[in-house]
Amino acid sequence: MFSYMGRVLELDLTKGKATPMTLSEDLVKRFIGGRGIGASFLWDLLKPGVDPLSPENVLIFSVGPLTGTSAQSSHRWVAQFKSPLTTTYFRSVGGGFFGAELKFAGYDAVVVRGRAERPTYVYIENDVVEFRKADIVWGMTTDATRDFLRDETSKDSKMVVIGPAGERLVRISAIVTDDMRTAARGGGGAVMGSKNLKAIVVKGSSRPTIYDEDAFREVVKEQVERFVKNPVFERLKAFGTDGSCYPFYTLGHFPTYNFKQLELDNIEAFRIENLTKYMVKHYGCYGCMIRCGKVFKLTEGPYAGVVWDFPEYETHWSFGGNLGITNVEAITVANMLCDKYGLDTISTGVVIGLVYELYEKGIIGRKEIGGLDLRWGDPEPMVNLVRKIALREGIGDILAEGVKRAAEALGRGAERFAMHVKGLELPAYDPRSAKANGLNLVTSPIGASHTMGWNSYEIAGIPQKMDPLSVEGKAEITKYVQDRVALIETGVFCTLPWNRWMMDEELYSRMLYAATGIREFNDVKYLLLVGERIFNLERLINAREGIDGKYDKAPLRIVKEPVPRFPSKGQVFEEEILLKDYYRARGWDERGMPTRGKLNELGLSEVKPASTRIDVK
Amino acid sequence: MFSYMGRVLELDLTKGKATPMTLSEDLVKRFIGGRGIGASFLWDLLKPGVDPLSPENVLIFSVGPLTGTSAQSSHRWVAQFKSPLTTTYFRSVGGGFFGAELKFAGYDAVVVRGRAERPTYVYIENDVVEFRKADIVWGMTTDATRDFLRDETSKDSKMVVIGPAGERLVRISAIVTDDMRTAARGGGGAVMGSKNLKAIVVKGSSRPTIYDEDAFREVVKEQVERFVKNPVFERLKAFGTDGSCYPFYTLGHFPTYNFKQLELDNIEAFRIENLTKYMVKHYGCYGCMIRCGKVFKLTEGPYAGVVWDFPEYETHWSFGGNLGITNVEAITVANMLCDKYGLDTISTGVVIGLVYELYEKGIIGRKEIGGLDLRWGDPEPMVNLVRKIALREGIGDILAEGVKRAAEALGRGAERFAMHVKGLELPAYDPRSAKANGLNLVTSPIGASHTMGWNSYEIAGIPQKMDPLSVEGKAEITKYVQDRVALIETGVFCTLPWNRWMMDEELYSRMLYAATGIREFNDVKYLLLVGERIFNLERLINAREGIDGKYDKAPLRIVKEPVPRFPSKGQVFEEEILLKDYYRARGWDERGMPTRGKLNELGLSEVKPASTRIDVK
């Protein structure tokens, strides 16, 4: 028998009933944990074609076999659901302390179904599960909700909550932890909102069991040693993801002006030496010595006095470069508003980018946007629009639907300027400047998510350099990276330290085996096959929703308009060639669907039920 | 020997030196504690004529003999200093948990002198006193400062801090506790700012000694019984000071439109049944079962999601009725900004009232006020101006000087619309509608402070009714109430329960005697004489600064313009008659100065040094 918590809690909000279940051994072997388990549950439980904002949608929170152990950087949690933004399968990953606490309460996953009649939060303290009234916190920002729910439960409670945006079913709303980490993408906040679920609050007192304590201690020791002697570790520790703003801009990422990719005046503002002056504190997620979180203090301009979590690289971009804005103070405040209201900073910035460009082109007028004068680089209207989107005020009510739906609703050719894949807004990378990275954005089952296949080869030359502008070999490397990320997120690991020197598959396999005693995990090839299995299963869930290769599609601008600035000057995204290669590398047919042979190879020809129901205690 | 902590901590910021001292028995007998002790220290230590924002100003925090005991509602703390707003002696009283904690650390008072070279905070943990660098928290809002300083000291630390307004020497800036209670009036925040003192953080572990435990337990039991069976207790507990907005308006208080006193449209918004819907939580200061604090939740309009301490009666007025505004959401947000930036809500609202009226009269133009369109009743520019004042942005830089200096700086007859006495902005009471209450505002040594002599007879008919519009007998009742408040603030009691049924002098004398064993305190007449002694000593400090009866002066509007609305229609404030009566009742000469005979009666003919210095441990 292997060592694994293996407990899942099903919450039926309609009936107000909590049912603990056990994971089958077969399922754990095939999917490990985290994202794998969640995808498998969704395959089993989600009826195709349901409205993502209906009680029929299923929302799964999961952690993995290393969560809550002494391993470093492996304590994230995964939210999976059918997305109200993309109508695809979706997975969104969050940090903080919620994942570890869920494990301490004795659960590897929570499956949320139905819809509560009234605003509700669920309080889980080990085996005791309560459905509680959330009337008082309904309507509150995330931070106020946290404070109130800690008063009502325990000052040590960890939780996931939604803000006013999720309550208002904003399709780009986030799920937010007590410490303002987010599973931001895909509208998970709206899924919780549609279920009248304001929060899941957890307090646990057990610790995960380890199969071989001595071996595990040794492998974690090795992991820590590898961390501390790596320069990437020091850089992340010192600067977080902020360190990437300026260098990535020079490499052709950090797209400017809604992907027009013009030179950005005052890009100097994002040089790390100009950002460190804002940093007043470092903080980290549970069990992570990187502590990439930074706190910014603003002392000048209209936002002086504000102290908040720094805007990550993506947020510096979405509210910054993407809008021609280099005012760090305003970007920090926009980030704060997103955390408080519960919004995805990437999607919110991109949808604002759409209106900035539509206004520039004269496609929408000042009256339509509540009198705002949207000039590239002007931060005030941006901050204003964030609030309007969260509260669905004026034009915000249209933008709250996400960039694809907003452009369709506005009409007049607005779709040309809506930067998304499958409805998910593009992140801070230009497919034209890094082709494998772009290929991931286009093919990812959840739309343009950088995290599903962030290509360190092309972007950072890690573990080895690769010409980002060439199309050669990009299909294979994209497949490898995507499968590997799926594997990483079974842990549930953070991808930041996965640079070969700090973390790699080999070290992971030893950690997994020592922790669980599952012999199969002691084999890197087996693990990568699990990653591929997960990725293909996600594709199958989409197929069931009618979403196939036709949706693997970059915005027209990316395919047609050459980049005007160095070093990607003249480049477009060679979508057709890249996709053809990619489907072949994946063993998929020309419609982008896994072949029967591939499914057999992955053991997906007949997907088994994910769980065995057991009686409530 | 009586029972009294009797320790004072002198903090010399210039030298970075902390010196504990003991209070002399004589001083305690003559001044009891709190405001009495502080006034006595200021008399001894403050050199006349010093710039209030220079290192020579002295800032005293004090508590009293009942602080930290089991007595109810007696745990406030007093800040005393020469005011940068009024240049008079000043006293400002705050609540929360700071006072009790200071006592637990073993101190009855802290005397702050000098100026630190760099931003500093002082951490007091019992006998250990540290001057610590405050560079990181300098520039932060009060709530962020609190969080950071708790991280640096203890999560249980209590503190007084300043926000960006105090740092910027805004003359209407407040001193704010960790739980957002304020000693708001008179610019204490700027005094701390001028001393480079961001915070005083306290953690204590002792408890005050009680002279006669049994007797004290009995008298507190009686106090609690009197509280719970009184309907005023229930009302304060249910509604806080918010319950007064609507009824006080109907009685001619809650002045409208910068004291033009026109009927206020939509006053219904302030009916208590329309305010209770915002309340989501009750909270109280240390050792107070009234728990008058309420938390408001905003769910509509542009501020939806905000959760913050409710605006007290005064704040509903200063940002509400005073500006013709009845938007409770915007008033709550203005209140929140004042707490975060560290501003006095009364003074800030009144100084904004000045610009609203100057704009209406065409005395200042749109350009001068940063393009704002200041229409009575429009909340947006009000919220905007609060921020500008705190940060000294644009017109805010002038308004940050307080209404008197701002009007002088603007010139063009602006002084006519500056509502203040001695430079302190008027509160939510119209001297024309309650003459004794008005007489207090005019004669109080600190300027127009309602708390120095709030007249329950006139305003609430407690303990008995009195015609508020008559001038008869108003001098005597004003003197009595002012002296009694001085006495109340030796405890340091909150004035709210002092309605004869809940608290009165007789009960107080028994509490004081049981707590201290000082026989003299077991005599109501003696206690009231202490109150009168304190009030006269405050007057003497002012006299030393050249501030005499000439400064007992209501704004012209109050003296000349009859009130246009019921029930005070046609009334003006009969200043000359009232003052003449008052000086006589006080035993003062026609210049408003205590006569030699009065000083002898009060034992103030020769004021003794306040303390005996002892060596540092």
Side-chain angles (χ1 to χ4, degrees), chain A residues 424-604:
Chain A
L424 187 70
E425 289 75 9
L426 254 70
Y429 299 93
D430 192 324
R432 296 168 293 187
S433 304
K435 304 293 163 70
N437 202 59
L439 191 51
N440 166 64
L441 296 180
V442 170
T443 59
S444 148
I446 68 173
S449 159
H450 60 297
T451 61
M452 292 284 280
W454 191 80
N455 202 293
S456 61
Y457 294 81
E458 280 189 341
I459 295 169
I462 292 174
Q464 66 213 45
K465 283 197 179 176
M466 182 175 277
D467 177 5
L469 303 181
S470 153
V471 296
E472 299 298 316
K474 294 306 171 70
E476 291 72 16
I477 197 71
T478 302
K479 171 187 181 299
Y480 166 66
V481 171
Q482 288 177 331
D483 293 347
R484 195 174 77 149
V485 169
L487 171 65
I488 289 171
E489 291 177 352
T490 58
V492 176
F493 255 101
C494 174
T495 52
L496 281 189
W498 280 73
N499 59 6
R500 173 154 294 178
W501 304 298
M502 288 162 76
M503 274 305 302
D504 63 14
E505 297 90 314
E506 192 275 328
L507 186 60
Y508 186 37
S509 83
R510 284 191 283 136
M511 293 177 112
L512 274 180
Y513 178 56
T516 64
I518 298 175
R519 197 166 304 276
E520 288 86 342
F521 294 171
N522 201 8
D523 173 355
V524 169
K525 274 200 189 134
Y526 179 89
L527 294 184
L528 282 170
L529 197 75
V530 172
E532 189 178 359
R533 181 179 297 133
I534 296 168
F535 196 87
N536 277 268
L537 181 61
E538 294 169 332
R539 192 86 179 177
L540 291 178
I541 300 175
N542 275 352
R544 213 166 55 171
E545 304 283 350
I547 291 165
D548 61 11
K550 286 197 300 293
Y551 294 80
D552 295 337
K553 219 168 165 43
L556 208 63
R557 169 166 284 169
I558 299 301
V559 181
K560 294 287 186 198
E561 297 178 21
V563 173
R565 75 174 174 95
F566 183 83
S568 336
K569 199 177 164 105
Q571 289 288 320
V572 293
F573 182 68
E574 300 92 336
E575 187 166 79
E576 209 173 326
I577 303 165
L578 285 159
L579 273 179
K580 204 172 165 188
D581 280 2
Y582 176 82
Y583 292 161
R584 188 173 45 233
R586 276 256 171 237
W588 292 354
D589 64 22
E590 67 287 349
R591 290 178 311 122
M593 280 299 109
T595 58
R596 181 53 49 191
K598 175 53 76 177
L599 291 181
N600 286 338
E601 181 194 333
L602 296 172
L604 285 177

Side-chain angles (χ1 to χ4, degrees), chain A residues 135-141 144 148 151 164 168 280-281 295 297-299 301-302 304-307 341 387 391 393, chain B residues 135-141 144 148 151 164 168 280-281 295 297-299 301-302 304-307 340-341 387 391 393:
Chain A
D135 300 73
I136 284 186
V137 291
W138 195 260
M140 289 186 187
T141 54
F148 268 69
D151 276 357
R168 284 163 177 75
V280 287
K281 193 173 158 184
V295 178
K297 173 174 78 170
L298 310 184
T299 57
V306 165
V307 179
Y341 290 128
R387 200 178 46 68
L391 301 177
E393 231 184 70
Chain B
D135 301 71
I136 284 187
V137 290
W138 196 260
M140 289 187 185
T141 55
F148 269 68
D151 277 358
R168 284 163 176 75
V280 287
K281 193 173 156 184
V295 177
K297 173 175 79 170
L298 309 184
T299 56
V306 165
V307 179
K340 285 182 176 243
Y341 290 129
R387 202 178 46 69
L391 301 177
E393 229 185 73

